[in-house]
Amino acid sequence: FLLQNFDIEQRVRSRVDDSDYERDHRRVMSTVLVDCRYIGEGYEIDATIADVYLVSSEDPSKIIGKPTLYQIVDRKSRLIVGFYFGLENASWNAALQAIYSISEDKKALCERYGVEYCPDDWPAHQVFPQEFLADRGEMISHSSSNIAEHLHVTVTNVPSKRPDWKPLVENQFRLTHNTL
């Protein structure tokens, strides 16, 4: 009776709430690339607590905590265009540091960390997006409105519990955690 009278969507929706269904069970008809026409059109930004403990440089036996990692990913190229690694919790100031890193001199950045600099590795150097796609955290503030107004950038906040609306940055976190 159940299989004949109710389709799969109705049966699954009866078992989970609507937000869980939309996130985990809905039909996916396309990818985020459908909305992207060129590099720099949209950047996804998010933060996570890195799965690593930092220790004091003065006394390596003392753990000082887990850092927060911000990443900004271009939707078209999947390139990490900005990042920030800090000890403070996810906040507007930390997000601002990640946004600042988009325009930072990449040659000086590579020299600071002892990495060989090649301009071909940074095709989106100092390219600001038309849109920042963020969750309903630190980017839903009056300060982000100021950034949007002065840089002529749209800040779009996705609904809570919807990581599938910014899948590229979420996947970068997974890859980073696997590497660590």
Side-chain angles (χ1 to χ4, degrees):
F1 176 81
L2 184 68
L3 296 175
Q4 290 176 352
N5 295 305
F6 296 97
D7 67 3
I8 188 72
E9 181 179 342
Q10 289 174 313
R11 287 180 281 165
V12 173
R13 279 190 187 269
S14 70
R15 286 186 236 130
V16 299
D17 76 16
D18 285 336
S19 65
D20 288 339
Y21 179 83
E22 292 297 325
R23 184 184 63 238
D24 298 328
H25 303 287
R26 69 181 166 79
R27 247 183 273 173
V28 178
M29 307 300 258
S30 65
T31 69
V32 296
L33 278 178
V34 171
D35 297 332
C36 300
R37 295 180 301 271
Y38 52 87
I39 293 175
E41 184 176 11
Y43 289 174
E44 297 178 9
I45 180 172
D46 201 5
T48 189
I49 296 173
D51 196 18
V52 63
Y53 287 101
L54 299 180
V55 296
S56 171
S57 60
E58 296 170 2
D59 183 5
S61 66
K62 291 187 180 178
I63 295 174
I64 58 174
K66 287 187 169 187
T68 299
L69 171 64
Y70 267 90
Q71 287 186 341
I72 303 174
V73 178
D74 177 59
R75 290 190 112 179
K76 182 70 173 178
S77 67
R78 269 91 166 141
L79 179 72
I80 298 175
V81 294
F83 66 94
Y84 177 68
F85 208 68
L87 286 174
E88 65 268 13
N89 291 330
S91 66
W92 170 246
N93 288 334
L96 196 57
Q97 291 296 320
I99 292 169
Y100 170 73
S101 74
I102 294 171
S103 64
E104 188 175 12
D105 180 25
K106 302 303 190 250
K107 186 174 184 177
L109 176 73
C110 289
E111 287 174 1
R112 187 168 64 227
Y113 291 113
V115 176
E116 185 179 325
Y117 174 74
C118 178
D120 295 337
D121 292 340
W122 304 95
H125 177 56
Q126 296 183 336
V127 175
F128 275 87
Q130 284 187 342
E131 175 185 37
F132 278 114
L133 196 68
D135 54 16
R136 299 184 60 83
E138 56 284 342
M139 294 294 282
I140 192 164
S141 68
H142 181 66
S143 300
S144 68
S145 299
N146 288 337
I147 286 283
E149 183 179 308
H150 289 85
L151 293 177
H152 305 290
V153 174
T154 304
V155 177
T156 303
N157 292 292
V158 299
S160 60
K161 299 181 183 177
R162 293 305 302 266
D164 55 315
W165 283 27
K166 45 184 183 46
L168 302 176
V169 73
E170 298 291 345
N171 190 50
Q172 284 295 334
F173 288 142
R174 183 180 60 81
L175 292 173
T176 303
H177 283 179
N178 288 345
T179 302
L180 291 175

